[in-house]
Amino acid sequence: QNTFRPPWFHRNVMTEFMGLIYGKYDAKKGKNGSGGFVPGGASLHSIMTPHGPDAASYDANVKNPCDEPTKFEGGLAFMFESSAMCKLSQYALNCEQRERDYASCWDGLDRAFPTQAE
């Protein structure tokens, strides 16, 4: 009740490898209808790398009152977590399918916590 459904912007003490098998992923809708996280896609977030829902998904879900339970039936995703640091292959770093502007999905995400300097 009254929960925020997609994962929040966070860092982990482990490495996360995530993929989408089919359907939609509700925390990465994409900017301007660009599709976001698509079936067959995967992401790798190494230890202590900040990540989370894109700005559009975050904004939409913060405004959702979450006053009724919902069951997500729009897709199938998976996640592996490991305490090991994973190294990308040269192919993964250089392939044409690599989303080179991946970090731009967080453009417009407002800071929720002040820094020590503030």
Side-chain angles (χ1 to χ4, degrees):
Q1 178 177 336
N2 299 319
T3 61
F4 180 62
R5 293 181 184 101
W8 53 91
F9 196 76
H10 62 287
R11 295 178 194 223
N12 297 329
V13 294
M14 81 292 270
T15 295
E16 281 183 4
F17 176 70
M18 184 168 186
L20 183 63
I21 296 173
Y22 71 85
K24 297 177 182 176
Y25 182 61
D26 58 348
K28 286 274 194 292
K29 295 176 181 165
K31 293 187 336 182
N32 303 321
S34 66
F37 203 43
V38 297
S43 64
L44 179 67
H45 297 109
S46 295
I47 296 168
M48 297 307 291
T49 303
H51 61 285
D54 60 32
S57 301
Y58 177 84
D59 290 340
N61 281 282
V62 169
K63 294 173 186 164
N64 182 347
C66 298
D67 51 7
E68 292 184 23
T70 52
K71 179 179 178 185
F72 180 71
E73 297 186 56
L76 179 62
F78 65 88
M79 182 186 302
F80 297 107
E81 296 179 344
S82 174
S83 60
M85 192 70 119
C86 299
K87 182 178 179 181
L88 292 174
S89 67
Q90 284 299 314
Y91 177 80
L93 289 170
N94 298 315
C95 73
E96 66 182 65
Q97 292 86 2
R98 179 176 163 208
E99 190 176 355
R100 297 188 183 277
D101 67 340
Y102 178 70
S104 71
C105 74
W106 298 299
D107 290 351
L109 189 62
D110 292 331
R111 182 184 305 234
F113 303 99
T115 65
Q116 289 182 353
E118 294 174 317

